[in-house]
């Protein structure tokens, strides 16, 4: 999907023209993946545009920066206000929001500590992540031959740019194998998550999802779904899942800001079927 350009991008405290929001080719993060980012959605509601769990997303950005010892020169509050203002400036009713803090132009070499920290926030319209058809009727997924990053090599709790090379390998493998998405196992061999989504399994009316010990990013949509499911009276169990839990599931769905709640209708040729009642209700 080509990016749908809008008027302004917030860059280091200023609203700059979309085409002028550029960096140098020797930007540290471009070479070494030394950036942290977020993905957020704003939705049109009867009382105006509302950003979904904006505070939690900005807090997670700060947490990712903390893991990577990156001093962000703006407060959570300032980034929240900048986001809201940017949506107004760009006159967007609903949109995807991408804040990013990264080691900029200064020094080359692995030591990032002397490079400046640049911060940007961009907004654009982003439709369905895994296709309109996928959101409605479910997608086909394969279990990736690439394991999900391990907490002792790259902390999965950090949403860091460089870490996504792992997801990119799995995603390309899935696409070249004629699947829409990859499900990654953790280094122990238990189910972890999709390339950009958390995963849920429904079996006999109970909802199961891998815990934070399974190298997942602790998704904000995941948290919302757990809360909603409990409110609706479902039992939600966070536990280790194995391949056969996927093959024998009544329903499987993945959650994320971009993906929202996308059903999975097949895993490695095992048919799960059309989106089931729990997925649909959520
Ligand atoms: N796991 C991963 C690895 C991940 O990247 C995301 C978000 C999630 C789980 C779900 O987290 P949350 O959005 O808080 O519910 N992935 C973002 C980036 C997608 C992209 O392709 O870029 C997103 O959904 O915005």
């Amino acid at each position: 999907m080509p990016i749908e350009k809008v008027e302004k991008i917030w860059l280091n405290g200023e609203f700059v023209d979309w085409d002028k929001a550029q960096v140098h080719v020797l930007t540290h993060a471009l070479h070494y993946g030394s950036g942290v980012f977020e993905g957020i959605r704003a939705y049109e509601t009867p009382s105006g545009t509302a950003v979904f769990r904006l505070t939690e997303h900005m807090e997670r950005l700060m947490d990712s920066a903390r893991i990577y010892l990156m001093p962000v020169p703006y407060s959570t509050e300032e980034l929240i206000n900048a986001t809201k203002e940017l949506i107004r400036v760009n006159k967007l009713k609903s949109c995807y929001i991408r804040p990013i803090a990264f080691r900029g132009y200064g020094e080359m070499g692995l030591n990032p500590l002397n490079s400046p920290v640049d911060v940007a926030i961009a907004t654009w319209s982003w439709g369905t992540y895994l296709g309109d058809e996928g959101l409605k009727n479910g997608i086909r997924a394969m279990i990736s031959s690439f394991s999900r990053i391990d907490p002792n090599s790259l902390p999965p709790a950090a949403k860091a740019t460089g870490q996504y090379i792992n997801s990119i390998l799995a995603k390309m493998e899935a696409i070249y194998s004629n699947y829409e998405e990859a499900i990654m196992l953790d280094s122990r061999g238990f189910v972890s998550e999709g390339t950009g989504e958390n995963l849920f399994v429904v079996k006999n009316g109970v909802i199961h999802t891998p815990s934070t010990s399974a190298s997942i990013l602790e998704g904000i949509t995941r948290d919302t779904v757990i809360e909603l499911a409990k409110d609706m009276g479902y039992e939600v169990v966070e536990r280790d899942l194995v391949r056969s839990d996927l093959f024998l599931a009544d329903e499987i769905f993945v959650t994320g800001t971009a993906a929202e709640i996308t059903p999975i209708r097949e895993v490695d040729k095992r048919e799960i079927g059309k989106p089931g009642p729990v997925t649909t209700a959520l």
Side-chain angles (χ1 to χ4, degrees):
M1 294 164 268
I3 303 170
E4 263 185 52
K5 190 161 136 175
V6 294
E7 214 175 309
K8 300 282 184 187
I9 285 179
W10 185 93
L11 179 60
N12 294 327
E14 283 169 57
F15 295 98
V16 304
D17 290 342
W18 180 278
D19 290 329
K20 294 199 175 120
Q22 293 178 346
V23 296
H24 196 276
V25 291
L26 294 183
T27 294
H28 195 274
L30 184 60
H31 295 252
Y32 307 118
S34 50
V36 296
F37 70 106
E38 271 304 316
I40 314 169
R41 275 190 194 269
Y43 291 93
E44 196 179 353
T45 78
S47 44
T49 297
V51 184
F52 187 68
R53 300 190 68 176
L54 177 56
T55 304
E56 286 94 332
H57 278 285
M58 287 306 185
E59 282 170 352
R60 190 172 66 184
L61 182 77
M62 292 300 190
D63 286 348
S64 299
R66 179 181 170 83
I67 290 172
Y68 280 98
L69 299 170
M70 192 185 295
V72 178
Y74 302 94
S75 66
T76 307
E77 197 59 34
E78 285 172 315
L79 295 178
I80 288 171
N81 291 333
T83 302
K84 292 179 184 169
E85 193 53 34
L86 181 67
I87 296 169
R88 281 185 210 113
V89 166
N90 286 328
K91 299 182 185 70
L92 290 160
K93 288 201 168 69
S94 63
C95 63
Y96 186 80
I97 304 155
R98 169 56 53 84
I100 182 166
F102 57 99
R103 290 287 180 176
Y105 176 89
E107 283 185 9
M108 288 311 263
L110 290 175
N111 174 7
L113 299 171
N114 299 318
S115 292
V117 176
D118 290 318
V119 185
I121 307 170
T123 54
W124 68 90
S125 285
W126 201 353
T128 50
Y129 188 57
L130 296 159
D132 290 342
E133 168 63 25
L135 191 64
K136 211 169 131 229
N137 298 319
I139 58 162
R140 296 175 53 252
M142 67 176 280
I143 296 170
S144 183
S145 70
F146 292 99
S147 307
R148 169 83 177 142
I149 50 170
D150 182 86
N152 288 323
S153 53
L154 293 165
K159 201 169 165 64
T161 60
Q163 301 188 176
Y164 277 79
I165 282 289
N166 175 238
S167 286
I168 286 172
L169 286 171
K171 187 77 185 183
M172 290 190 297
E173 181 186 38
I175 289 166
Y176 279 126
S177 310
N178 263 311
Y179 286 93
E180 277 113 23
E181 187 53 295
I183 297 168
M184 285 184 283
L185 306 180
D186 67 14
S187 57
R188 303 168 304 159
F190 292 103
V191 176
S192 179
E193 58 180 354
T195 61
E197 318 87 19
N198 294 114
L199 181 137
F200 289 81
V201 162
V202 183
K203 183 74 180 177
N204 300 327
V206 177
I207 302 173
H208 306 258
T209 194
S211 77
T212 52
S213 320
S215 292
I216 62 165
L217 175 76
E218 226 175 304
I220 290 163
T221 319
R222 173 184 180 274
D223 181 65
T224 304
V225 162
I226 291 174
E227 211 174 300
L228 288 176
K230 285 181 179 165
D231 282 354
M232 289 161 73
Y234 291 109
E235 187 188 345
V236 184
V237 187
E238 294 181 54
R239 66 169 178 93
D240 285 333
L241 296 168
V242 291
R243 262 170 212 259
S244 50
D245 289 319
L246 302 177
F247 298 156
L248 303 178
D250 296 331
E251 301 177 39
I252 305 177
F253 59 89
V254 290
T255 66
T257 298
E260 300 179 315
I261 298 179
T262 300
I264 291 191
R265 64 180 168 87
E266 183 195 312
V267 178
D268 283 342
K269 313 277 184 230
R270 278 78 171 183
E271 174 118 14
I272 310 299
K274 283 201 273 281
V278 180
T279 308
T280 308
L282 286 165

